[in-house]
Amino acid sequence: MTSREPRRTVGSANPGPREALALRVLFVCTGNICRSPTAEGVFRHLLREAGLEGLVATDSAGTHDYHVGDPPDPRSAACAGRRGIDISGLRARRVRPSDFADFDLILAMDRGHREALLRQAPAEARERVRLFLDYAPDAPVRDVPDPYYGGENHFDETFVLIEAASHGLLAALVRDRRDVLDRSGDDGG
């Protein structure tokens, strides 16, 4: 298993000290090659479009170590790529104990992931573990389905759910964390 710091502050290769960022978000699925890297890529894309790059650090991980060090599944990368989102540079890793201290929000792709994360999380971190599709209340399902064993249409269906939740997450951050986002972007300190 490889170790790495929360990567991918939008617009910067180095996320910097925790207090310099408004928020750190971790997306979690099983092996970190389909759903969670797609969610990370979509959310980063939306942050960039909203002009919030550099304020939110993103990362993704898996509950299992099946694919540590691997790039996203080629079908996930192709699905995102068709929509102008490049996730090819991401590499899979497993959730580590320090993630519960390092991230402000840990978003599980399905209820099984959420339960696995809650079993690992220290008591003080449990409230930060949430179901990703809670940010897409109009979605017809509560879990982002795993497209791994399906065809291209499964990856497209998964992408639509991830995109909806990503828009909802961004809206919630802008609504609920505006004071932090504004303060973080203030050059005056």
Side-chain angles (χ1 to χ4, degrees):
M1 180 165 74
T2 60
S3 175
R4 61 180 180 184
E5 289 302 308
R7 62 183 190 240
R8 301 187 281 294
T9 298
V10 178
S12 172
N14 180 1
R18 181 177 182 152
E19 50 281 353
L21 299 169
L23 192 70
R24 290 177 183 249
V25 180
L26 180 67
F27 299 93
V28 179
C29 69
T30 305
N32 193 210
I33 61 167
C34 294
R35 294 170 284 179
S36 58
T38 299
E40 180 184 359
V42 170
F43 191 61
R44 283 187 313 156
H45 179 78
L46 294 178
L47 288 168
R48 195 174 299 109
E49 285 184 340
L52 298 174
E53 59 272 352
L55 297 180
V56 180
T58 62
D59 200 354
S60 57
T63 55
H64 294 77
D65 62 1
Y66 303 139
H67 303 284
V68 169
D70 291 347
D73 185 291
R75 298 166 295 175
S76 287
C79 184
R82 286 192 298 275
R83 293 157 174 92
I85 299 170
D86 181 11
I87 62 171
S88 64
L90 305 182
R91 294 296 176 266
R93 72 169 180 89
R94 186 175 185 181
V95 171
R96 55 183 177 250
S98 62
D99 288 335
F100 296 102
D102 292 342
F103 290 93
D104 302 296
L105 194 54
I106 300 173
L107 298 172
M109 295 296 121
D110 66 35
R111 286 170 281 198
H113 301 131
R114 184 174 181 275
E115 290 306 313
L117 290 164
L118 288 172
R119 284 191 300 273
Q120 296 176 52
E124 66 275 6
R126 290 190 180 121
E127 70 181 26
R128 295 192 309 267
V129 177
R130 301 198 182 137
L131 197 59
F132 187 43
L133 285 186
D134 284 350
Y135 291 97
D138 295 333
V141 296
R142 299 309 328 135
D143 295 331
V144 178
D146 190 350
Y148 186 76
Y149 295 104
E152 186 175 313
N153 63 316
H154 292 101
F155 285 84
D156 289 331
E157 291 165 6
T158 296
F159 187 93
V160 168
L161 291 169
I162 287 171
E163 187 175 44
S166 294
H167 279 286
L169 174 60
L170 180 60
L173 292 181
V174 169
R175 180 188 67 238
D176 300 339
R177 305 286 304 253
R178 175 47 71 189
D179 59 327
V180 176
L181 293 172
D182 287 344
R183 192 172 53 243
S184 295
D186 182 8
D187 291 337

